[in-house]
Amino acid sequence: QVQLVESGGGLVQAGGSLRLSCSASGTIFDMYIRGWFRQAPGKEREFIAAISWPGVKTWYADSVKGRFTIAKDNRDRTVYLQMNTLKPEDTAIYYCAEVRAITLAPRTWPEYDYWGQGTQVTVSP
């Protein structure tokens, strides 16, 4: 089992920045992908970004490419999501997720095995 915990959400004005963190504990797989999703009220949970272990392959949704950056710390398995130039439409609950034993990041949420509890990001106009 893998336990994921997100942090770093909050309220920010449009154009501002936030950095989300996703810490992990429990089983360590040799190969896995950690990703970020978000879900706004009344909308589907959507893929944002993902990063591979081992290596540093990254994937981004078109809606955040150039504004968001995913990174990891190999020492403690923490994954970060740096979010810049935030827009009101980025408002959502942001979730961290992990899927084991693959090398290509899935972009649909049912394919992920483990999930955090989510952290709220609110961007005011």
Side-chain angles (χ1 to χ4, degrees):
Q1 288 289 335
V2 177
Q3 293 78 44
L4 302 173
V5 178
E6 304 95 335
S7 62
L11 173 64
V12 64
Q13 287 189 329
S17 298
L18 282 175
R19 189 177 79 154
L20 305 183
S21 299
C22 173
S23 61
S25 61
T27 303
I28 300 175
F29 301 109
D30 291 336
M31 181 188 301
Y32 58 96
I33 286 171
R34 186 90 55 82
W36 287 96
F37 284 73
R38 68 186 180 190
Q39 189 166 19
K43 294 190 175 182
E44 293 263 332
R45 190 168 295 191
E46 66 168 329
F47 170 82
I48 297 300
I51 193 163
S52 66
W53 253 283
V56 283
K57 292 182 184 176
T58 57
W59 298 265
Y60 293 95
D62 289 343
S63 59
V64 304
K65 204 173 290 185
R67 299 190 298 125
F68 291 10
T69 303
I70 191 169
K72 65 179 181 177
D73 186 333
N74 286 318
R75 295 169 298 177
D76 63 5
R77 301 168 60 206
T78 299
V79 168
Y80 302 96
L81 185 68
Q82 178 66 43
M83 306 186 295
N84 298 328
T85 319
L86 283 161
K87 306 174 182 179
E89 50 263 44
D90 294 317
T91 295
I93 299 175
Y94 282 69
Y95 296 93
C96 178
E98 186 170 302
V99 55
R100 57 185 175 177
I102 62 171
T103 57
L104 181 64
R107 292 177 181 249
T108 54
W109 67 267
E111 297 184 72
Y112 285 75
D113 301 315
Y114 306 101
W115 289 86
Q117 81 289 349
T119 186
Q120 177 71 46
V121 171
T122 303
V123 184
S124 62

